[in-house]
Amino acid sequence: MKNKIKEWLKSGQIDIFLGYKTLQGHPLPHAFGKDNLEDIDTLITGSNYYPLEKIATKLVAEKPDIKIGMITQDHSQRALNVLYIWNQLDPENIKPLKGDGCSSNLKEHADDSHREAGKSGQFKKQFGMNTHASIEEAEIFAQQERFQRWMYEFQKCIKCYGCRNICPVCFCKQCSLEHSNLIGTGSLPPEAPIYHLVRAVHMAGRCIDCGLCEEACPADIPLRLLYRKVNAIVTELFDYETGSRLDQSPFSIIGESITLKLKPIAAA
Amino acid sequence: MECKFVPSVCSYCGTGCGVIFQVLDGKLVGTLPMKTHPVNEGKLCIKGWNLHEYVNSFLRLKYPLVKTFGRFIKVRWDEALQITADRFKEIIETHGPDSVGVLVSAKITNEENYLAQKFTRAVIGTNNVDHCARL
Amino acid sequence: MTIKRINFLQELLEFMGLGGRLHLEWISSAEAQKFVQVVKEFTEKIRHLGPNPLRGFTLNNLTLDVGAAAGTAAKTACPEPKETVAQN
Ligand code: SF4
Ligand code: SF4
Ligand code: SF4
């Protein structure tokens, strides 16, 4: 693998390779360049995961022609697909190199264990939403209780924007979460549940279930569970699996013949 | 093109979260939380997330200014230091060292903060020193 | 487009615990009968669901409400709940 990267760099197929390296005892993202090929021997792979795709997007925004190689996991490939679809990256200029590990249970062979956070505490399980619950487990509560539990989670938010900042597929220049007409400003917690639902809706057909947002959330809000459900709805309604294909998300296609049915007013 | 990732510690408050700075061609462009840091375990607050912004802010002072007759005048460093020292001496002589207070900032490094409190206590001779992020 | 979004939103709100409060119907200006019927039905349903839980929502009584909804005895740990009366 390392020889391959060296070759790529030497032959000019890529200008820069994004991987990981241990620095001061921490595994950190690192950009390997042409000038220092020996450096590549220090490349590490494994348990850590940073949004390299996001870093690549930033690089491309500065230097549109730069050719980037990067180490990928399953979800990174999905993230790259989404970024290709939205024209943030050019597949011609990106050379992914498959590393190991995938954190999403969208895939059968997924192994999430290395990133398992501490188990949800007793209080959270009693009054909130268990972060490690599956969609089905989150749906066993009755409507009113579900609402209370989600609100308990949302009101913990400290509005750090961490979930958006770390997300590999969040690239908008103007973010709706910062738009004062959509989400009220000056209050903490931010307007619940609007803040979180706005982000959830924007993640439809976009979130590739990498789990970075949940990991970065200081308030331990089960964001991933919410976005996972959002994308489960998208898959169910439109048969679209985010990130696994290279066609546009169903929400950006207009004028397609209607296959959906209106829902009847169900008895309360 | 040079792209670097530099581990560091957030300077905004006493918590001391680990951050990674993304440096592009010598310019600070982004901050990421450090996942393996024992303090923050991959999380940051909104201040930490925006650490890189003040470094390149156009509002930053780049040279000393001295306020004379209500206007700020650009001066050289040695001049500025001389004026400050003279005024401090004058004030301390007439009103005593406790008439001076020093407020330090989260936007300078720990070492500079240390120097500032040392300066206040040892040179000026007062305990009137505080920090904007003394949580 | 609308139908895609509304169908999606209905499911999302359901997951959040606000299910059944959103409805979409195409009614032409010639269909007065239908309009009346739909509005009637939906009003009836909303009345049945009760007032919007977001109204009068305060953080103080949140855990208590959860406790009550979950049927657990959490009252000892928290102060007495204040009655929140939905004002119309
Ligand atoms: S899991 Fe979170 S960070 Fe990852 S793509 Fe989805 S919203 Fe973004
Ligand atoms: S990361 Fe968590 S606390 Fe921060 S804005 Fe997102 S939901 Fe709120
Ligand atoms: S300001 Fe925020 S990110 Fe920085 S050390 Fe304090 S808590 Fe951590």
Side-chain angles (χ1 to χ4, degrees):
Chain A
M1 186 155 132
K2 286 171 184 164
N3 290 333
K4 204 170 181 183
I5 302 169
K6 278 185 200 171
E7 237 170 68
W8 282 357
L9 279 171
K10 246 190 262 169
S11 64
Q13 288 186 62
I14 54 174
D15 299 320
I16 209 166
F17 187 86
L18 295 173
Y20 300 97
K21 175 181 171 169
T22 307
L23 209 64
Q24 297 178 9
H26 295 285
L28 298 181
H30 188 75
F32 299 92
K34 262 184 238 211
D35 320 327
N36 194 354
L37 287 177
E38 275 78 69
D39 202 17
I40 293 169
D41 295 327
T42 59
L43 175 86
I44 53 167
T45 58
S47 56
N48 45 82
Y49 175 48
Y50 286 91
L52 292 183
E53 309 80 40
K54 183 152 201 152
I55 293 165
T57 319
K58 247 188 195 164
L59 279 172
V60 169
E62 296 275 327
K63 306 250 153 116
D65 292 328
I66 191 169
K67 292 194 165 41
I68 304 172
M70 67 163 84
I71 202 145
T72 62
Q73 290 153 320
D74 253 10
H75 47 249
S76 333
Q77 192 52 53
R78 292 198 300 275
L80 286 175
N81 285 348
V82 171
L83 291 169
Y84 296 155
I85 293 174
W86 293 90
N87 289 328
Q88 294 300 308
L89 292 176
D90 185 354
E92 302 268 296
N93 286 344
I94 303 289
K95 248 178 142 29
L97 184 66
K98 193 132 169 44
D100 43 0
C102 170
S103 64
S104 163
N105 59 7
L106 284 180
K107 294 277 169 195
E108 270 169 22
H109 61 270
D111 172 23
D112 212 355
S113 54
H114 62 278
R115 301 209 291 136
E116 188 96 337
K119 292 268 177 293
S120 299
Q122 208 51 43
F123 189 83
K124 189 174 163 81
K125 276 194 191 140
Q126 196 171 356
F127 298 115
M129 275 287 173
N130 183 357
T131 309
H132 302 290
S134 63
I135 295 175
E136 291 78 36
E137 276 163 357
E139 276 175 343
I140 54 173
F141 307 114
Q143 287 282 307
Q144 194 201 347
E145 190 183 342
R146 253 190 239 178
F147 175 73
Q148 298 285 359
R149 280 175 182 267
W150 276 111
M151 286 305 274
Y152 164 73
E153 294 292 345
F154 291 161
Q155 53 85 23
K156 291 187 298 185
C157 178
I158 62 165
K159 209 176 186 184
C160 66
Y161 293 109
C163 43
R164 177 204 64 187
N165 288 352
I166 203 145
C167 178
V169 294
C170 268
F171 48 77
C172 306
K173 285 234 161 59
Q174 281 197 323
C175 178
S176 303
L177 297 179
E178 286 176 17
H179 203 298
S180 55
N181 289 351
L182 293 174
I183 291 158
T185 52
S187 67
L188 258 188
E191 276 188 291
I194 295 298
Y195 182 89
H196 299 89
L197 289 188
V198 165
R199 187 163 145 80
V201 169
H202 286 202
M203 283 303 115
R206 198 117 144 220
C207 168
I208 42 90
D209 196 27
C210 64
L212 279 169
C213 49
E214 193 168 283
E215 235 177 293
C217 179
D220 200 16
I221 300 169
L223 297 166
R224 193 176 177 188
L225 175 62
L226 184 62
Y227 305 148
R228 196 180 271 163
K229 172 67 186 178
V230 164
N231 278 289
I233 301 172
V234 172
T235 312
E236 188 192 324
L237 289 182
F238 311 112
D239 197 22
Y240 178 84
E241 260 189 58
T242 312
S244 57
R245 24 201 270 209
L246 279 173
D247 51 357
Q248 294 272 320
S249 115
F251 288 106
S252 46
I253 307 167
I254 313 175
E256 183 202 29
S257 63
I258 295 176
T259 49
L260 292 170
K261 291 230 165 51
L262 289 175
K263 286 201 176 166
I265 302 177
Chain B
M1 142 133 330
E2 193 203 2
C3 173
K4 270 203 305 193
F5 298 90
V6 186
S8 183
V9 174
C10 173
S11 59
Y12 266 126
C13 87
T15 309
C17 300
V19 297
I20 310 167
F21 289 126
Q22 195 192 347
V23 183
L24 260 190
D25 283 338
K27 196 175 165 209
L28 197 51
V29 294
T31 315
L32 283 173
M34 197 191 287
K35 303 212 165 177
T36 40
H37 199 278
V39 171
N40 57 331
E41 296 179 339
K43 304 161 203 300
L44 287 180
C45 78
I46 188 157
K47 295 185 284 175
W49 270 111
N50 295 295
L51 260 177
H52 58 279
E53 287 191 356
Y54 76 79
V55 176
N56 300 316
S57 167
F58 69 99
L59 291 169
R60 268 192 98 145
L61 289 183
K62 299 200 176 85
Y63 35 78
L65 298 169
V66 170
K67 195 170 184 182
T68 330
F69 301 117
R71 277 189 307 144
F72 285 107
I73 310 219
K74 190 174 160 185
V75 292
R76 290 204 319 274
W77 272 105
D78 50 349
E79 266 180 274
L81 286 173
Q82 195 57 51
I83 295 171
T84 323
D86 289 349
R87 281 290 288 148
F88 266 137
K89 248 188 227 153
E90 209 180 300
I91 292 168
I92 292 168
E93 262 161 32
T94 29
H95 303 287
D98 277 344
S99 57
V100 181
V102 173
L103 277 177
V104 281
S105 155
K107 295 190 184 181
I108 58 179
T109 62
N110 272 336
E111 292 73 17
E112 286 162 335
N113 276 320
Y114 176 81
L115 284 177
Q117 71 82 31
K118 205 72 184 163
F119 171 77
T120 320
R121 295 213 164 96
V123 180
I124 297 183
T126 174
N127 282 328
N128 295 342
V129 55
D130 212 335
H131 187 282
C132 74
R134 194 168 55 103
L135 296 175
Chain C
M1 211 56 176
T2 317
I3 191 167
K4 284 185 196 170
R5 290 186 174 168
I6 295 290
N7 266 348
F8 167 79
L9 258 185
Q10 281 169 333
E11 297 254 343
L12 177 60
L13 289 179
E14 172 104 31
F15 186 64
M16 260 293 298
L18 292 171
R21 289 174 188 270
L22 183 64
H23 183 70
L24 176 71
E25 193 85 50
W26 262 269
I27 305 171
S28 112
S29 52
E31 295 176 307
Q33 291 292 323
K34 191 173 173 196
F35 181 78
V36 171
Q37 193 210 339
V38 168
V39 170
K40 240 189 193 162
E41 254 179 61
F42 195 59
T43 319
E44 196 47 47
K45 184 180 177 196
I46 291 294
R47 195 163 285 142
H48 209 88
L49 283 171
N52 179 358
L54 276 167
R55 174 182 288 177
F57 186 87
T58 58
L59 296 178
N60 296 337
N61 59 16
L62 177 66
T63 34
L64 263 176
D65 283 358
V66 180
T72 48
K75 296 222 160 68
T76 43
C78 312
E80 276 299 303
K82 281 194 212 89
E83 281 288 322
T84 41
V85 185
Q87 279 136 17
N88 280 323

